[in-house]
Amino acid sequence: MAAAVIIVLILAGLPLLAWWVGGRQFWSRSRAASEPDLYRELVRRHALRPAEAAQVEGAVTWGRELQDPRLRVAVVDWATSLQAGARARAARRPWVGRVMLLVWLVIAIGGLVRIAADQDWGQLAVILFWPVVLSVPLTRAVNGPRRAIRLNSGPASSGSVPQR
């Protein structure tokens, strides 16, 4: 009898739950309406060819310096637009960063408590290893637009290697 009730609940409840969740306003909001397609807009504004767009995007993401003056202007414009968008998103939802930090702290402290309870000190090295390994590229990517603006705002330096 209990198995039949569970099967009926799954067969009737799951579609009803999916219908209810799908009807929420969150799913009907279009991101395109709230945020313009920055990539397409900047490619059109600076008349970038596909290879140039890839160069500019890489320079913005990783904070590299380009030699071509036209691409340098595009890098600064793109990075400035990315930073402005990030500031606007942070202003709309200032609590998101704090909630993410709180979630991360709860998970980290829970992991440390589990390690201490199990006295599995070998796991401590693994848990400390991955955040350190992942923090290097993530920090570089997060600081990329700021570094790209700094490197591409003035005249090109003579010591850097030209990008293809």
Short mmCIF file of all heavy atoms in Angstrom, two decimals, residues 10-42:
data_model
loop_
_atom_site.label_atom_id
_atom_site.label_comp_id
_atom_site.label_asym_id
_atom_site.label_seq_id
_atom_site.Cartn_x
_atom_site.Cartn_y
_atom_site.Cartn_z
N ILE A 10 4.71 10.37 -6.77
CA ILE A 10 5.78 10.68 -7.73
C ILE A 10 5.17 10.99 -9.09
O ILE A 10 5.52 11.98 -9.74
CB ILE A 10 6.80 9.54 -7.81
CG1 ILE A 10 7.62 9.48 -6.52
CG2 ILE A 10 7.71 9.71 -9.02
CD1 ILE A 10 8.56 8.29 -6.42
N LEU A 11 4.25 10.15 -9.54
CA LEU A 11 3.66 10.33 -10.87
C LEU A 11 2.80 11.59 -10.96
O LEU A 11 2.75 12.24 -12.01
CB LEU A 11 2.84 9.10 -11.27
CG LEU A 11 3.65 7.83 -11.56
CD1 LEU A 11 2.72 6.67 -11.86
CD2 LEU A 11 4.60 8.06 -12.71
N ALA A 12 2.11 11.95 -9.90
CA ALA A 12 1.25 13.14 -9.93
C ALA A 12 1.99 14.37 -9.39
O ALA A 12 1.85 15.47 -9.91
CB ALA A 12 -0.02 12.89 -9.13
N GLY A 13 2.77 14.16 -8.34
CA GLY A 13 3.41 15.29 -7.67
C GLY A 13 4.56 15.90 -8.45
O GLY A 13 4.73 17.12 -8.46
N LEU A 14 5.37 15.08 -9.10
CA LEU A 14 6.51 15.60 -9.85
C LEU A 14 6.08 16.51 -11.00
O LEU A 14 6.62 17.62 -11.12
CB LEU A 14 7.36 14.43 -10.34
CG LEU A 14 8.86 14.64 -10.37
CD1 LEU A 14 9.39 15.15 -9.06
CD2 LEU A 14 9.55 13.36 -10.77
N PRO A 15 5.12 16.10 -11.83
CA PRO A 15 4.68 17.03 -12.88
C PRO A 15 4.04 18.31 -12.31
O PRO A 15 4.24 19.40 -12.86
CB PRO A 15 3.66 16.22 -13.69
CG PRO A 15 4.00 14.81 -13.43
CD PRO A 15 4.55 14.78 -12.03
N LEU A 16 3.28 18.18 -11.23
CA LEU A 16 2.69 19.38 -10.62
C LEU A 16 3.76 20.31 -10.07
O LEU A 16 3.67 21.54 -10.22
CB LEU A 16 1.71 18.98 -9.51
CG LEU A 16 0.37 18.43 -9.98
CD1 LEU A 16 -0.43 17.92 -8.79
CD2 LEU A 16 -0.40 19.49 -10.74
N LEU A 17 4.77 19.75 -9.45
CA LEU A 17 5.87 20.55 -8.94
C LEU A 17 6.62 21.23 -10.09
O LEU A 17 6.94 22.43 -10.01
CB LEU A 17 6.83 19.69 -8.11
CG LEU A 17 8.04 20.41 -7.52
CD1 LEU A 17 7.59 21.44 -6.49
CD2 LEU A 17 9.00 19.41 -6.91
N ALA A 18 6.87 20.50 -11.17
CA ALA A 18 7.55 21.08 -12.33
C ALA A 18 6.71 22.20 -12.93
O ALA A 18 7.23 23.26 -13.31
CB ALA A 18 7.82 20.01 -13.37
N TRP A 19 5.40 21.99 -13.02
CA TRP A 19 4.51 23.03 -13.55
C TRP A 19 4.54 24.27 -12.66
O TRP A 19 4.61 25.40 -13.14
CB TRP A 19 3.09 22.47 -13.66
CG TRP A 19 2.08 23.49 -14.05
CD1 TRP A 19 1.86 24.02 -15.29
CD2 TRP A 19 1.17 24.15 -13.17
NE1 TRP A 19 0.86 24.95 -15.24
CE2 TRP A 19 0.41 25.04 -13.94
CE3 TRP A 19 0.91 24.04 -11.80
CZ2 TRP A 19 -0.58 25.84 -13.40
CZ3 TRP A 19 -0.08 24.84 -11.26
CH2 TRP A 19 -0.80 25.73 -12.05
N TRP A 20 4.50 24.06 -11.34
CA TRP A 20 4.51 25.20 -10.41
C TRP A 20 5.83 25.96 -10.48
O TRP A 20 5.84 27.19 -10.55
CB TRP A 20 4.27 24.69 -8.99
CG TRP A 20 4.25 25.78 -7.97
CD1 TRP A 20 3.23 26.65 -7.71
CD2 TRP A 20 5.32 26.15 -7.10
NE1 TRP A 20 3.60 27.52 -6.73
CE2 TRP A 20 4.88 27.24 -6.33
CE3 TRP A 20 6.60 25.65 -6.89
CZ2 TRP A 20 5.67 27.85 -5.37
CZ3 TRP A 20 7.39 26.26 -5.93
CH2 TRP A 20 6.92 27.34 -5.19
N VAL A 21 6.96 25.25 -10.47
CA VAL A 21 8.27 25.90 -10.53
C VAL A 21 8.44 26.62 -11.87
O VAL A 21 8.96 27.74 -11.93
CB VAL A 21 9.41 24.87 -10.31
CG1 VAL A 21 10.77 25.47 -10.64
CG2 VAL A 21 9.39 24.37 -8.89
N GLY A 22 7.98 26.00 -12.95
CA GLY A 22 8.10 26.63 -14.27
C GLY A 22 7.26 27.88 -14.41
O GLY A 22 7.56 28.75 -15.25
N GLY A 23 6.23 28.02 -13.62
CA GLY A 23 5.37 29.20 -13.69
C GLY A 23 5.86 30.38 -12.88
O GLY A 23 5.25 31.46 -12.91
N ARG A 24 6.93 30.22 -12.15
CA ARG A 24 7.44 31.33 -11.34
C ARG A 24 7.95 32.44 -12.25
O ARG A 24 8.47 32.20 -13.34
CB ARG A 24 8.58 30.89 -10.42
CG ARG A 24 8.27 29.79 -9.43
CD ARG A 24 7.19 30.15 -8.43
NE ARG A 24 5.92 29.71 -8.97
CZ ARG A 24 4.74 30.20 -8.64
NH1 ARG A 24 4.62 31.15 -7.78
NH2 ARG A 24 3.64 29.74 -9.20
N GLN A 25 7.87 33.68 -11.79
CA GLN A 25 8.28 34.85 -12.55
C GLN A 25 9.77 34.82 -12.87
O GLN A 25 10.21 35.32 -13.90
CB GLN A 25 7.94 36.12 -11.79
CG GLN A 25 8.27 37.37 -12.56
CD GLN A 25 7.97 38.63 -11.75
OE1 GLN A 25 7.63 38.56 -10.59
NE2 GLN A 25 8.10 39.76 -12.38
N PHE A 26 10.57 34.21 -12.02
CA PHE A 26 12.01 34.15 -12.23
C PHE A 26 12.35 33.57 -13.60
O PHE A 26 13.24 34.03 -14.28
CB PHE A 26 12.65 33.29 -11.12
CG PHE A 26 14.10 33.00 -11.36
CD1 PHE A 26 15.06 33.96 -11.09
CD2 PHE A 26 14.50 31.78 -11.88
CE1 PHE A 26 16.40 33.70 -11.32
CE2 PHE A 26 15.83 31.51 -12.11
CZ PHE A 26 16.78 32.47 -11.83
N TRP A 27 11.65 32.52 -14.01
CA TRP A 27 11.95 31.84 -15.26
C TRP A 27 11.51 32.65 -16.48
O TRP A 27 12.02 32.46 -17.57
CB TRP A 27 11.28 30.47 -15.32
CG TRP A 27 11.71 29.61 -14.19
CD1 TRP A 27 10.96 29.23 -13.13
CD2 TRP A 27 13.00 29.03 -13.99
NE1 TRP A 27 11.69 28.44 -12.28
CE2 TRP A 27 12.95 28.31 -12.78
CE3 TRP A 27 14.20 29.05 -14.71
CZ2 TRP A 27 14.04 27.61 -12.29
CZ3 TRP A 27 15.27 28.36 -14.20
CH2 TRP A 27 15.20 27.65 -13.02
N SER A 28 10.55 33.55 -16.31
CA SER A 28 10.04 34.29 -17.46
C SER A 28 10.80 35.59 -17.72
O SER A 28 10.58 36.23 -18.73
CB SER A 28 8.56 34.60 -17.27
OG SER A 28 8.37 35.45 -16.16
N ARG A 29 11.68 35.96 -16.80
CA ARG A 29 12.47 37.17 -17.04
C ARG A 29 13.59 36.89 -18.00
O ARG A 29 14.35 35.94 -17.82
CB ARG A 29 13.06 37.70 -15.73
CG ARG A 29 12.04 38.41 -14.89
CD ARG A 29 12.70 39.01 -13.70
NE ARG A 29 13.02 37.89 -12.80
CZ ARG A 29 13.71 38.02 -11.69
NH1 ARG A 29 14.19 39.16 -11.35
NH2 ARG A 29 13.94 36.97 -10.93
N SER A 30 13.73 37.72 -18.98
CA SER A 30 14.79 37.54 -19.98
C SER A 30 16.03 38.30 -19.55
O SER A 30 15.96 39.50 -19.25
CB SER A 30 14.30 38.05 -21.34
OG SER A 30 15.36 38.06 -22.25
N ARG A 31 17.18 37.61 -19.54
CA ARG A 31 18.43 38.30 -19.22
C ARG A 31 18.81 39.27 -20.32
O ARG A 31 19.46 40.26 -20.09
CB ARG A 31 19.57 37.29 -19.04
CG ARG A 31 19.61 36.72 -17.67
CD ARG A 31 20.87 35.96 -17.47
NE ARG A 31 21.99 36.88 -17.50
CZ ARG A 31 23.21 36.56 -17.16
NH1 ARG A 31 23.47 35.35 -16.78
NH2 ARG A 31 24.18 37.44 -17.20
N ALA A 32 18.40 38.96 -21.55
CA ALA A 32 18.75 39.82 -22.67
C ALA A 32 18.13 41.20 -22.49
O ALA A 32 18.71 42.21 -22.91
CB ALA A 32 18.28 39.21 -23.98
N ALA A 33 16.97 41.25 -21.87
CA ALA A 33 16.33 42.55 -21.65
C ALA A 33 17.04 43.34 -20.56
O ALA A 33 17.11 44.57 -20.62
CB ALA A 33 14.87 42.34 -21.27
N SER A 34 17.59 42.65 -19.57
CA SER A 34 18.23 43.36 -18.47
C SER A 34 19.69 43.69 -18.75
O SER A 34 20.20 44.68 -18.25
CB SER A 34 18.13 42.55 -17.18
OG SER A 34 18.83 41.34 -17.32
N GLU A 35 20.38 42.86 -19.54
CA GLU A 35 21.78 43.10 -19.85
C GLU A 35 21.99 42.97 -21.36
O GLU A 35 21.68 41.94 -21.94
CB GLU A 35 22.68 42.10 -19.13
CG GLU A 35 22.66 42.24 -17.63
CD GLU A 35 23.63 41.29 -16.96
OE1 GLU A 35 24.57 40.83 -17.63
OE2 GLU A 35 23.44 41.02 -15.78
N PRO A 36 22.54 44.00 -21.98
CA PRO A 36 22.77 43.91 -23.43
C PRO A 36 23.90 42.93 -23.74
O PRO A 36 24.69 42.58 -22.87
CB PRO A 36 23.17 45.34 -23.81
CG PRO A 36 23.73 45.92 -22.55
CD PRO A 36 22.97 45.27 -21.43
N ASP A 37 23.97 42.50 -24.98
CA ASP A 37 25.03 41.59 -25.42
C ASP A 37 26.29 42.41 -25.63
O ASP A 37 26.50 42.99 -26.70
CB ASP A 37 24.60 40.87 -26.70
CG ASP A 37 25.60 39.81 -27.12
OD1 ASP A 37 26.60 39.62 -26.39
OD2 ASP A 37 25.40 39.20 -28.17
N LEU A 38 27.11 42.49 -24.60
CA LEU A 38 28.30 43.34 -24.61
C LEU A 38 29.27 42.92 -25.70
O LEU A 38 29.84 43.77 -26.38
CB LEU A 38 28.97 43.30 -23.24
CG LEU A 38 30.15 44.22 -23.02
CD1 LEU A 38 29.74 45.66 -23.22
CD2 LEU A 38 30.69 44.02 -21.62
N TYR A 39 29.46 41.62 -25.88
CA TYR A 39 30.40 41.12 -26.89
C TYR A 39 30.00 41.64 -28.28
O TYR A 39 30.80 42.24 -28.99
CB TYR A 39 30.41 39.60 -26.86
CG TYR A 39 31.33 38.96 -27.88
CD1 TYR A 39 32.67 38.78 -27.61
CD2 TYR A 39 30.84 38.55 -29.13
CE1 TYR A 39 33.51 38.19 -28.54
CE2 TYR A 39 31.68 37.97 -30.06
CZ TYR A 39 33.00 37.79 -29.75
OH TYR A 39 33.84 37.22 -30.68
N ARG A 40 28.76 41.40 -28.66
CA ARG A 40 28.30 41.80 -29.99
C ARG A 40 28.36 43.32 -30.17
O ARG A 40 28.76 43.82 -31.21
CB ARG A 40 26.87 41.31 -30.21
CG ARG A 40 26.34 41.62 -31.58
CD ARG A 40 24.99 41.02 -31.77
NE ARG A 40 25.11 39.57 -31.73
CZ ARG A 40 24.08 38.75 -31.63
NH1 ARG A 40 22.87 39.21 -31.58
NH2 ARG A 40 24.27 37.45 -31.61
N GLU A 41 27.97 44.04 -29.14
CA GLU A 41 27.98 45.51 -29.21
C GLU A 41 29.40 46.06 -29.41
O GLU A 41 29.62 46.93 -30.25
CB GLU A 41 27.38 46.06 -27.91
CG GLU A 41 27.35 47.56 -27.83
CD GLU A 41 26.83 48.02 -26.49
OE1 GLU A 41 25.96 47.34 -25.90
OE2 GLU A 41 27.31 49.07 -26.01
N LEU A 42 30.37 45.53 -28.67
CA LEU A 42 31.73 46.04 -28.78
C LEU A 42 32.41 45.60 -30.07
O LEU A 42 33.21 46.34 -30.64
CB LEU A 42 32.56 45.64 -27.57
CG LEU A 42 32.17 46.41 -26.32
CD1 LEU A 42 32.75 45.78 -25.07
CD2 LEU A 42 32.60 47.85 -26.42
#
